[in-house]
Amino acid sequence: MVSAVSVMFKPPAILQPDSSWRDLFRLGAENDPLWQRVRLAQLLFLERYLPMNIPIAMVNGAIVLASLSAEVDLWVLLFWAVTQCLAIVLAIARLWRSRGSGPRTRASRAELLSTLVQLFMVGSGWGLLFAQALARADPTDAMLVVAMTIAGMGCLAFSTATWPLGSLAMSGTVALGTTVGLFLNDWGDAWMVTLVMASFILFIGRGNVLTTAAFLGRFRLQDRLQEQEEVVRLLLNEFEANGSEWLFEFDVSGRLTFASTRFAEALRQPVDAVIGEHWTHFIPDRSVGDEFMALITKGLPFRDILLRVEIDGEIRWWSLSGTPKNDREGRLLGYRGVGSDVTERQRSAERIAELATFDALTGLVNRRIIDQSLGDGLQSPDGVALLFVDLDRFKAVNDSIGHGAGDQLLAEVALRLRDVVAGDVGARGLVGRLGGDEFAVVLREADLPRALALGDKIIARLSQPYRIGDKTAQIGASVGLALGPDDGDSVEALMRAADLALYDVKGKGRGSVRHYDRAMHKRTEHRRSLELDLRSALSQGQLRLAFQPVVDAIDERIVGFEALMRWRHPVEGEISPAMFIPIAEEAGLIGELGAWALNEACRVAAGWPLHVKLAVNLSPLQFDDLGLVDMVRQTLARWRIAPERLELELTESLFLDERPQTTAMLAQLHDMGVGFALDDFGTGYSSLGYLQKIAFSRIKIDRSFVQGSVANGGESTAIIQAIVALADRLGMETTAEGTETRAEFEAMRRLGCAQIQGYYFGKPMSAEDAGRLMDRSRPLVSLEELWPQGEPAMAAAPRSAAASAQSPGAAGRTRPLPRAARSGPLRG
């Protein structure tokens, strides 16, 4: 029985696990806020029915007095009357107090217990009355009593639907009294009537329990919701205070129904002014606004939608995310969501996109746009021309004036390129920067003559002096040209053709325009093949040094050797230095090869007589290495060579750009005791300025003047005389290069050259042959044969008496020394 009742009165799941069925019959803790509100709600629920219950009770009392007063004892009737009147008075007093006081927020246990006693008192009066009345009543009166019992319990069940304990206190006593009266009457149907009442009691009791359970569950749910709302409120406050995003809500028509403070700040308006505004009011592009409204009318959530809005005339970018709000029937009510101002992020993205399209330094388009333009041009029936522009001597100028000024120079080059292209071809030309000092020009609807003419104009314009701050810079330009689709039917092929043309023009002197031809590819491949082989030539022992003697012009005695690098390729045989030295310079190998050549030359010279000097060529690019001076110093110390015996041969191209770094390194080498020879003087950019700045010990006259002085006399002879006189004034000696015949030797000696170098006295030879040559070295002519009349023909030569006295005499003239196998010079 107990199990069955437990199952029947088991509370629903809403009470679990926070409460149990026992909570249905509790008054709750005094200070528990939840139970304070529950007790108040139970009392208010009961009081709600008092205005109706009091008149009903009075009517029922009148019926009882009229029908049953003769069948009950006076004291029972008095007890009933007192309890009912007292209950009515207390109920009226309760209602009166509730009208005069303000809204109540809680109820104590004492209040609920007092009400419980009142209900028990009312129920006891009716129960005692029904018990005595049924024991003495006839069947008609008995039916009235039972009917009143059931009706009373039903009404009370409504009044105490949220309070099972109150219902039990009153209905239980009434039901108990009625049951006792039935059995005291000794009716045969007492059990049947009792079972009917019991079933009714169980029915209304179960409803009472379920209602109370739902009632308590609702309170607990309200508490949870309130806690959650508080947490959400705190989070939203934190979000508003510290977050960069804002909250919004709008209805299905797109009008704002809620806006957080931060959102209103983003709109630069008060919150009240924002409410009711339509979204499209902030979107300047009507089509974008229509698309956004079309999206939200579909009722689908959206995330990170980027909108361009206008706030007080300023364009801003918003990122919005929202979820739809629906009513219970699923109809769309609007949206709620979050948004943020991403203007700075959008501007950064646009800047990144711009950097991906344009060169930041010059403002020209980059390679990607050049590729696109070439692709479009190749699709055009009119064809396209591509010009690769490379700046000559830019690196040297950049190192000389500084990298900041170098950037300004590149920006100025870009301006000149734009001006030339715009002035010549207008909108049909596009100028871009490929990187470093390389530029590209795409020319639409161009033929070969027009493209070549544009290339010449570009070179002429870029070769004009530049004024960078307080400095003047001078550079040049080389242009490689390819026409599409003849020279290449794809972007890659056309670029490769233009690059090959540029590579070819740079290898042949720079400063001109070269159109691509098929033979360039073969030459370039051969050149690149040599570059690959040259990288391993040193480790494989393919490089060696040859030594060409330098003799004194008076006594023809050997006074030094020039070290010349040679490369014997395993397949192609001897490779001219005029070919592999430029390759080494472009491939960045010249530093390694130069250091090896100096070390090998010093190793050989360590076994020579102390008066024999060593000449070694230096490439201008070796001065880019800040460790050059230390390398020379360490090499001389390694082989115990006096610095005065070493002469470094320099070309005029080293001084085209006055770099402080180069001047400082030359000064350090000079202070060390190393001498300098100016090679090929008179053939390049001969300037007298650097002869005063650099302490040269020797000027080497180019072979073209030596041969010209014998072949055509006048002009070449005058140039040599001027060079000799200049060297004499500056305290320098002169060496005539490329002397191949006796006539050339005699001419150079007569013109005053101090030393002679050429095939006439010996071709470049191995170190062993150079050693044997020095062993046999002696004067080749006698002084008497040289000056048979006693008149020195060398009066013009700046030779000291001490130098002449050191030349031993010779009885007669001998033939020149045997010549070694011919090889080319170090430079082409």
Side-chain angles (χ1 to χ4, degrees):
M1 182 67 179
V2 174
S3 177
V5 173
S6 298
V7 172
M8 177 172 291
F9 287 93
K10 183 177 180 180
I14 194 167
L15 287 177
Q16 308 295 335
D18 301 299
S19 61
S20 67
W21 64 273
R22 296 181 181 85
D23 287 340
L24 304 177
F25 304 97
R26 294 174 54 200
L27 300 181
E30 180 67 33
N31 296 321
D32 188 337
L34 172 65
W35 279 103
Q36 289 176 347
R37 291 187 291 110
V38 168
R39 288 192 294 265
L40 177 62
Q42 290 172 333
L43 289 178
L44 293 177
F45 192 86
L46 180 63
E47 291 175 359
R48 184 188 308 168
Y49 290 94
L50 286 179
M52 181 176 292
N53 289 348
I54 291 175
I56 293 176
M58 295 176 67
V59 171
N60 289 341
I63 295 174
V64 167
L65 290 175
S67 303
L68 302 177
S69 60
E71 298 179 6
V72 296
D73 295 336
L74 180 60
W75 66 269
V76 173
L77 193 60
L78 289 174
F79 177 77
W80 171 82
V82 170
T83 56
Q84 303 310 305
C85 290
L86 182 60
I88 292 173
V89 170
L90 291 176
I92 294 174
R94 180 189 298 275
L95 291 175
W96 185 263
R97 286 196 306 271
S98 63
R99 288 182 58 188
S101 62
R104 301 168 62 188
T105 59
R106 60 185 178 177
S108 65
R109 285 171 55 90
E111 291 180 83
L112 202 64
L113 187 60
S114 173
T115 303
L116 185 63
V117 171
Q118 294 177 38
L119 291 174
F120 180 76
M121 181 179 64
V122 172
S124 298
W126 282 101
L128 181 61
L129 177 66
F130 286 165
Q132 193 175 58
L134 282 174
R136 301 174 181 178
D138 56 24
T140 302
D141 291 335
M143 290 297 297
L144 175 63
V145 171
V146 172
M148 292 183 65
T149 300
I150 294 176
M153 288 189 298
C155 291
L156 189 61
F158 282 106
S159 302
T160 58
T162 61
W163 191 18
L165 195 60
S167 179
L168 182 62
M170 182 173 177
S171 298
T173 54
V174 173
L176 179 62
T178 302
T179 303
V180 171
L182 287 173
F183 282 96
L184 288 177
N185 199 303
D186 194 22
W187 283 7
D189 296 331
W191 281 104
M192 299 297 295
V193 175
T194 302
L195 288 176
V196 170
M197 284 196 306
S199 62
F200 180 71
I201 291 172
L202 289 176
F203 176 76
I204 63 174
R206 184 176 185 277
N208 190 281
V209 167
L210 291 178
T211 302
T212 304
F215 175 78
L216 292 176
R218 180 170 61 85
F219 269 88
R220 285 194 168 89
L221 182 59
Q222 287 176 347
D223 273 6
R224 290 177 183 173
L225 291 176
Q226 186 174 359
E227 290 177 1
Q228 292 175 359
E229 289 176 357
E230 182 66 18
V231 170
V232 171
R233 186 183 64 81
L234 291 175
L235 290 176
L236 290 178
N237 290 339
E238 181 73 15
F239 181 84
E240 275 287 300
N242 302 318
S244 60
E245 298 179 326
W246 24 261
L247 307 176
F248 63 85
E249 290 185 11
F250 57 85
D251 58 24
V252 70
S253 67
R255 296 192 177 276
L256 289 168
T257 57
F258 170 79
S260 64
T261 304
R262 192 174 294 276
F263 184 27
E265 292 174 354
L267 293 173
R268 301 172 187 172
Q269 297 181 32
V271 174
D272 295 341
V274 171
I275 303 301
E277 287 283 0
H278 199 278
W279 269 109
T280 55
H281 177 73
F282 313 111
I283 304 176
D285 191 336
R286 180 59 60 85
S287 61
V288 174
D290 293 342
E291 290 178 5
F292 181 68
M293 291 306 301
L295 172 66
I296 65 176
T297 53
K298 294 180 180 178
L300 298 177
F302 55 87
R303 182 177 181 82
D304 296 331
I305 288 183
L306 191 64
L307 284 182
R308 180 176 178 268
V309 299
E310 183 175 346
I311 308 298
D312 292 343
E314 180 185 1
I315 297 299
R316 309 289 295 180
W317 290 91
W318 287 354
S319 176
L320 303 179
S321 299
T323 54
K325 296 190 305 179
N326 299 313
D327 60 14
R328 294 182 178 180
E329 297 179 359
R331 289 175 299 197
L332 180 65
L333 299 178
Y335 276 80
R336 64 167 58 93
V338 297
S340 60
D341 190 311
V342 294
T343 303
E344 297 305 321
R345 187 178 72 186
Q346 181 66 16
R347 289 173 180 171
S348 298
E350 292 175 351
R351 177 59 176 163
I352 292 173
E354 181 180 350
L355 292 177
T357 305
F358 293 91
D359 176 60
L361 176 62
T362 63
L364 299 177
V365 298
N366 59 15
R367 181 182 290 270
R368 186 161 66 95
I369 304 303
I370 291 294
D371 289 351
Q372 294 177 0
S373 180
L374 282 177
D376 296 340
L378 288 172
Q379 300 299 321
S380 171
D382 298 320
V384 64
L386 174 62
L387 293 85
F388 273 2
V389 181
D390 184 79
L391 303 183
D392 300 334
R393 302 186 303 278
F394 173 76
K395 185 180 186 303
V397 174
N398 190 42
D399 294 340
S400 175
I401 66 178
H403 295 287
D407 289 344
Q408 296 180 41
L409 178 58
L410 288 176
E412 179 64 26
V413 167
L415 289 175
R416 293 189 183 187
L417 274 174
R418 270 197 290 244
D419 290 345
V420 172
V421 173
D424 191 74
V425 298
R428 291 187 292 114
L430 176 67
V431 182
R433 184 186 179 202
L434 302 179
D437 60 346
E438 296 182 350
F439 298 83
V441 177
V442 178
L443 184 58
R444 293 285 197 89
E445 304 173 11
D447 52 17
L448 181 58
R450 179 181 290 273
L452 289 172
L454 178 60
D456 289 333
K457 292 179 181 178
I458 288 174
I459 294 174
R461 185 73 177 92
L462 298 185
S463 299
Q464 296 176 6
Y466 296 82
R467 189 68 182 176
I468 307 297
D470 58 348
K471 299 179 181 179
T472 299
Q474 183 81 45
I475 60 173
S478 300
V479 178
L481 168 63
L483 295 176
D486 296 340
D487 299 330
D489 57 1
S490 67
V491 173
E492 294 78 10
L494 197 59
M495 282 196 160
R496 185 166 57 250
D499 189 45
L500 289 174
L502 180 62
Y503 193 76
D504 190 75
V505 71
K506 289 167 62 178
K508 293 184 178 180
R510 304 175 181 266
S512 61
V513 186
R514 190 66 49 84
H515 175 228
Y516 170 79
D517 62 60
R518 303 296 178 183
M520 288 181 182
H521 182 73
K522 185 176 181 180
R523 291 195 299 268
T524 301
E525 289 301 318
H526 178 252
R527 188 179 179 92
R528 289 176 177 170
S529 176
L530 289 179
E531 178 184 326
L532 293 175
D533 293 340
L534 185 59
R535 293 183 181 277
S536 59
L538 188 59
S539 61
Q540 295 181 5
Q542 299 173 9
L543 298 178
R544 70 186 190 282
L545 290 184
F547 299 87
Q548 187 173 28
V550 180
V551 302
D552 189 288
I554 295 178
D555 58 15
E556 303 180 31
R557 186 179 63 169
I558 295 176
V559 295
F561 284 89
E562 180 181 0
L564 303 168
M565 189 179 297
R566 297 291 181 259
W567 179 19
R568 179 169 292 169
H569 193 276
V571 177
E572 301 189 22
E574 292 291 339
I575 304 295
S576 170
M579 176 173 289
F580 75 79
I581 291 300
I583 292 177
E585 290 178 334
E586 292 180 9
L589 301 174
I590 195 64
E592 179 184 0
L593 298 186
W596 172 83
L598 180 62
N599 184 76
E600 181 68 10
C602 289
R603 181 189 68 80
V604 174
W608 295 346
L610 296 182
H611 72 281
V612 178
K613 289 190 173 184
L614 170 66
V616 178
N617 292 275
L618 282 186
S619 166
L621 295 183
Q622 288 182 259
F623 285 86
D624 293 339
D625 182 8
L626 296 178
L628 175 64
V629 176
D630 290 336
M631 185 269 291
V632 173
R633 180 184 294 109
Q634 293 169 8
T635 302
L636 293 175
R638 183 182 305 118
W639 299 107
R640 299 182 180 180
I641 302 291
E644 292 75 13
R645 292 183 59 195
L646 176 63
E647 196 170 72
L648 299 177
E649 295 195 4
L650 312 174
T651 60
E652 295 176 337
S653 60
L654 176 64
F655 309 102
L656 292 179
D657 302 295
E658 298 181 2
R659 294 194 298 170
Q661 174 181 318
T662 301
T663 304
M665 295 171 73
L666 289 172
Q668 294 177 42
L669 291 170
H670 180 265
D671 293 342
M672 193 189 306
V674 175
F676 303 119
L678 182 58
D679 202 5
D680 300 334
F681 184 77
T683 61
Y685 307 90
S686 301
S687 171
L688 302 182
Y690 54 77
L691 290 178
Q692 293 177 321
K693 297 179 182 179
I694 308 299
F696 287 101
S697 57
R698 182 178 313 281
I699 296 177
K700 301 188 74 173
I701 301 173
D702 187 71
R703 60 178 297 179
S704 62
F705 298 117
V706 173
Q707 295 172 351
S709 65
V710 175
N712 51 35
E715 184 177 341
S716 296
T717 299
I719 292 175
I720 295 175
Q721 287 176 331
I723 294 174
V724 171
L726 176 64
D728 185 27
R729 287 295 184 92
L730 297 177
M732 305 174 188
E733 292 187 335
T734 53
T735 298
E737 291 187 294
T739 304
E740 298 183 356
T741 65
R742 184 68 187 185
E744 292 173 354
F745 165 64
E746 294 291 352
M748 294 303 102
R749 184 159 58 180
R750 285 195 307 273
L751 292 174
C753 291
Q755 294 177 358
I756 308 296
Q757 179 181 351
Y759 288 174
Y760 180 70
F761 292 103
K763 298 178 180 180
M765 60 191 70
S766 65
E768 293 77 11
D769 290 340
R772 286 191 288 269
L773 180 61
M774 283 186 291
D775 291 340
R776 302 195 304 272
S777 178
R778 56 190 178 85
L780 302 181
V781 298
S782 64
L783 295 178
E784 291 79 3
E785 184 179 21
L786 181 62
W787 297 317
Q789 306 299 326
E791 298 178 359
M794 294 293 294
R799 302 290 294 168
S800 66
S804 300
Q806 291 175 0
S807 302
R813 186 178 200 163
T814 64
R815 295 184 59 81
L817 296 174
R819 303 175 185 176
R822 177 185 177 103
S823 296
L826 175 62
R827 295 167 309 281

